[in-house]
C-alpha cells in the first residue's frame, strides 16, 4: 500500500477536532468535513489544511478517510449511500472509523469497502477528550494486517498506542470490553468516594494512598477529586456511554452472556439521563448515591 | 517519642511473615509471635531475630508492637485481656494494627491504649501478598500525628507509601473505601474479560490496549490474564474480602448510605464461598459469569 500523505477527517466533535489537528501538525495534508460547517471553518483557522462541504467532496483524491462521529446511523449517513464518502473514494483508499459503533456495523462497512476496492479498519479509541487533545489515545483496531500497518503513521500522530485485535469488528468488540470494565470501575469508585465523604475522610489523601495499592485505576487518578467536588461539566457524556453500553449488552446477549453490573450501571445512567444529566461526565454516578436522590 | 529499635510482630500469615522479615532486614530487632508456633520457628530460621511463646511474652521490653492477624476477634484475643499484649507492654510502647478490622475496634483499641499510656495506630494495608513480599504496600493510617511520625521508619521498611488519614479508625475507614472500589473494579473486569473471551479476542492484546486508556487499573494489569486462564490459587482469598466488605457495608449503613454494587458483589462472593471457592483469589468472580454456573 502506498504511503499516506493526503487524508480527510469527517467529524469534528470534542474528539475529532483535536485528532484532525494532530494529523495536520504531523505533516499530513488534512481536509476536514463537519455537518455543522462553522466548526470546519474554525478548524481550518486553527490548524490550516482545507475543508469540504460534503462527505463526497472530502472523499475525493485522498489516501485515507478518517471518521469520528456519534453512532451507527451517523457513520452510515456519512459513509454509505450515493452522497456518502465510500462512493466517491478512489480505489485503494484506506477508511478508518474511530467512532464507537456496533461490531455489526464495522463488518458491514468492511464488506462495503471490499466491494469498492477500499480497505477498512474499525479503530475506536479510549483516553477521552484529554487523550485526544494530548495525542495520548489508546486505539483498538479491527481489520487486515496490511491496512493496519499502513495506518501506523496516522495512529502515531494521535495516540500513544494502537493494537490490531483481529478482523473487522474486533476493535469495536475490544472497545465494548473497555466500556464494561469502566462501568464497574466507576460505580465502585462512586460508592467508595461516597463512603469516604460520609466518613469525613480527606479525598486527596484517600486518592493518594489508594493509588499505591490494588484499588488503583485511571478513574481513581482522574475522577476521584472531581466526583468529590460534584463537578461533572466536562469529560465523557452519559449519552455516549449509554450508547456504548447498549452495543456491549446487545453483543453480550448475542453471545449468551449476562453482564449484571454493566446492566445495572446502564440503568443508573438512564435514571441520570431522565434527571437531565445526560451531558454530564460518566463519573456523575456518585449523585445517585446521595441520600436525597429520589427513590431512596 | 524515642526512636524505635526493638519491635514485636504478632501474626505471621501470608502478609505478616514477609512484613516482619523486611523489618528485621531493615535493622530492627524483631521478636515474632504466631498462634501456630511452627511458623514462628520457620520465620526465625529464615530471618534471624527471636520468637515468643505468647503475646504477653512478645510485648515485654519492646518499643513497638505490630499486629497483622485475621479479624476483629483475633485482634482482641491477641491484644486485650489479661494475657493480651497491651497488659504487658511498657508505657510509651507504640501499638500498630495492620489487620483490616472495623473502625469501631480501632477506636476501642485506641481508648485501651490511652488508658495504659500506650500509643495506637490502625494501619491496614493494600497491595496484597506481592506487595508484602516486595515491601511495596500502601499503608492507610489512623491515629495521632506524633505516633504516625515515629512509625515512619517501620512503614518505610514494609511499604512504598503511608498516609495519616485522621484519628484512630481513619485507616480502617480508608481501607473500606479501598475494598469497595475493588469490588466494582473486579466485577467490571470479570464481565469485560468474559465478553472478550466469548468474542474470541486475545486477552493479552486486550490487556495491553485497555491499559493505555480510561479502563486501566491495577486489577487489569495484575488479574486480567489469570482470570482468562481460570487460575485462582493465589492472591487475596474471598474469605478475607467478604470480611472486609461486611465491615464496609456495616459502616455505610451506619452512615445512612446504600452501596448497591458492593452489596451485590458481596453476595456473589457468598455464592462462590458456598460453592467451595472460599480460598480462591477475589478475581474468581469471573466463574459466576460462565453460562454453566448454577442458576443461569
Amino acid at each position: 500500500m502506498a504511503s499516506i500523505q493526503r487524508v480527510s477527517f469527517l467529524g469534528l466533535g470534542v474528539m475529532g477536532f483535536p485528532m484532525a489537528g494532530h494529523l495536520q501538525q504531523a505533516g499530513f495534508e488534512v481536509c476536514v468535513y463537519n455537518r455543522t460547517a462553522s466548526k470546519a471553518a474554525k478548524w481550518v483557522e486553527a490548524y490550516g489544511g482545507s475543508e469540504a462541504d460534503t462527505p463526497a467532496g472530502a472523499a475525493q483524491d485522498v489516501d485515507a478517510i478518517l471518521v469520528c462521529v456519534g453512532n451507527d446511523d451517523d457513520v452510515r449517513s456519512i459513509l454509505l449511500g450515493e452522497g456518502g464518502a465510500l462512493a466517491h473514494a478512489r480505489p485503494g483508499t484506506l477508511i478508518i472509523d474511530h467512532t464507537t459503533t456496533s461490531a455489526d456495523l464495522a463488518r458491514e462497512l468492511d464488506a462495503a469497502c471490499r466491494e469498492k476496492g477500499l480497505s477498512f479498519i474499525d479503530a475506536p479509541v479510549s483516553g477521552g477528550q484529554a487523550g485526544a487533545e494530548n495525542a495520548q489515545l489508546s486505539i483498538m483496531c479491527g481489520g487486515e494486517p496490511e491496512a493496519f500497518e499502513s495506518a501506523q503513521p496516522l495512529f502515531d500522530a494521535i495516540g500513544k498506542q494502537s493494537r490490531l485485535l483481529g478482523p473487522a469488528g474486533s476493535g469495536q468488540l475490544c472497545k465494548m470490553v473497555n466500556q464494561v470494565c469502566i462501568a464497574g470501575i466507576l460505580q465502585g469508585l462512586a460508592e467508595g468516594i461516597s463512603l469516604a465523604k460520609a466518613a469525613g475522610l480527606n479525598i486527596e489523601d484517600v486518592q493518594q494512598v489508594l493509588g499505591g495499592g490494588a484499588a488503583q485505576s485511571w478513574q481513581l487518578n482522574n475522577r476521584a477529586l472531581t466526583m468529590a467536588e460534584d463537578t461533572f461539566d466536562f469529560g465523557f457524556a452519559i449519552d455516549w456511554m449509554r450508547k456504548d453500553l447498549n452495543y456491549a449488552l446487545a453483543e453480550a446477549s448475542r453471545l449468551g452472556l449476562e453482564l449484571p453490573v454493566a446492566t445495572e450501571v446502564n440503568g443508573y445512567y438512564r435514571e441520570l439521563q431522565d434527571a437531565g444529566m445526560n451531558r454530564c461526565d460518566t463519573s456523575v454516578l456518585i449523585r445517585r448515591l446521595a441520600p436525597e436522590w429520589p427513590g431512596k
Side-chain angles (χ1 to χ4, degrees), chain A residues 55-133:
Chain A
Q60 284 152 19
D61 208 26
V62 293
D63 305 311
I65 299 171
L66 293 81
V67 184
C68 193
V69 292
N71 58 28
D72 280 24
D73 288 343
D74 297 330
V75 176
R76 273 201 186 86
S77 81
I78 217 166
L79 287 183
L80 301 178
E82 269 182 43
L86 296 196
H88 301 268
R90 63 182 180 208
T93 303
L94 174 61
I95 313 295
I96 302 176
D97 186 13
H98 290 300
T99 316
T100 296
T101 71
S102 67
D104 280 346
L105 177 70
R107 293 180 200 114
E108 181 187 334
L109 292 172
D110 182 60
C113 283
R114 283 170 192 272
E115 207 173 279
K116 292 178 165 47
L118 313 172
S119 309
F120 177 78
I121 302 173
D122 52 302
V125 299
S126 183
Q129 190 175 344
E133 286 166 359

Side-chain angles (χ1 to χ4, degrees), chain A residues 11 16 62 64 86 94 96 102 107 141 165 171 174 203 223 233-234 236 238 245 262-263:
Chain A
V62 293
L86 296 196
L94 174 61
I96 302 176
S102 67
R107 293 180 200 114
C141 302
L165 280 303
C174 188
I203 305 300
R223 293 293 183 271
D233 56 347
F234 70 102
F236 187 63
I238 286 182
L245 285 175
T263 304

Side-chain angles (χ1 to χ4, degrees), chain A residues 22-285:
Chain A
H22 287 303
L23 291 168
Q24 178 74 19
Q25 287 168 338
F28 297 100
E29 295 168 47
V30 181
C31 170
V32 297
Y33 163 79
N34 193 66
R35 199 161 43 185
T36 308
S38 58
K39 250 193 203 162
K42 200 178 142 204
W43 186 91
V44 171
E45 210 174 288
Y47 294 106
S50 61
E51 60 180 297
D53 293 338
T54 61
Q60 284 152 19
D61 208 26
V62 293
D63 305 311
I65 299 171
L66 293 81
V67 184
C68 193
V69 292
N71 58 28
D72 280 24
D73 288 343
D74 297 330
V75 176
R76 273 201 186 86
S77 81
I78 217 166
L79 287 183
L80 301 178
E82 269 182 43
L86 296 196
H88 301 268
R90 63 182 180 208
T93 303
L94 174 61
I95 313 295
I96 302 176
D97 186 13
H98 290 300
T99 316
T100 296
T101 71
S102 67
D104 280 346
L105 177 70
R107 293 180 200 114
E108 181 187 334
L109 292 172
D110 182 60
C113 283
R114 283 170 192 272
E115 207 173 279
K116 292 178 165 47
L118 313 172
S119 309
F120 177 78
I121 302 173
D122 52 302
V125 299
S126 183
Q129 190 175 344
E133 286 166 359
N134 305 324
Q136 290 291 303
L137 294 170
S138 204
I139 309 168
M140 310 165 206
C141 302
E144 297 294 335
E146 311 81 60
F148 176 72
E149 198 59 45
S150 71
Q152 273 308 317
L154 299 169
F155 294 154
D156 289 346
I158 60 170
K160 70 174 166 191
Q161 69 163 324
S162 57
R163 198 159 274 245
L164 183 66
L165 280 303
S170 302
Q172 298 299 348
L173 291 167
C174 188
K175 178 68 186 278
M176 293 174 199
V177 173
N178 190 77
Q179 303 302 66
V180 165
C181 289
I182 288 177
I185 293 171
L186 272 174
Q187 179 64 22
L189 185 61
E191 296 186 12
I193 299 298
S194 293
L195 177 58
K197 282 184 81 171
L201 298 177
N202 177 295
I203 305 300
E204 272 184 67
D205 287 335
V206 170
Q207 183 191 37
Q208 279 298 320
V209 75
L210 264 58
Q216 183 279 332
S217 70
W218 186 97
Q219 300 289 346
L220 173 77
N221 297 347
N222 290 279
R223 293 293 183 271
L225 294 183
T226 49
M227 268 190 190
E229 288 158 4
D230 200 49
T231 303
F232 305 107
D233 56 347
F234 70 102
F236 187 63
I238 286 182
D239 280 347
W240 302 120
M241 184 61 163
R242 282 219 64 210
K243 175 202 66 151
D244 296 1
L245 285 175
N246 283 333
Y247 290 141
L249 293 170
E251 191 71 39
S253 167
R254 239 188 313 275
L255 294 165
L257 270 183
E258 281 175 47
L259 305 181
V261 164
T263 304
E264 191 74 12
V265 172
N266 192 33
Y268 299 161
Y269 281 131
R270 190 176 49 235
E271 289 178 39
L272 289 157
Q273 281 179 317
D274 291 347
M277 301 180 202
N278 55 305
R279 306 304 294 178
C280 289
D281 181 68
T282 43
S283 54
V284 74
L285 280 172

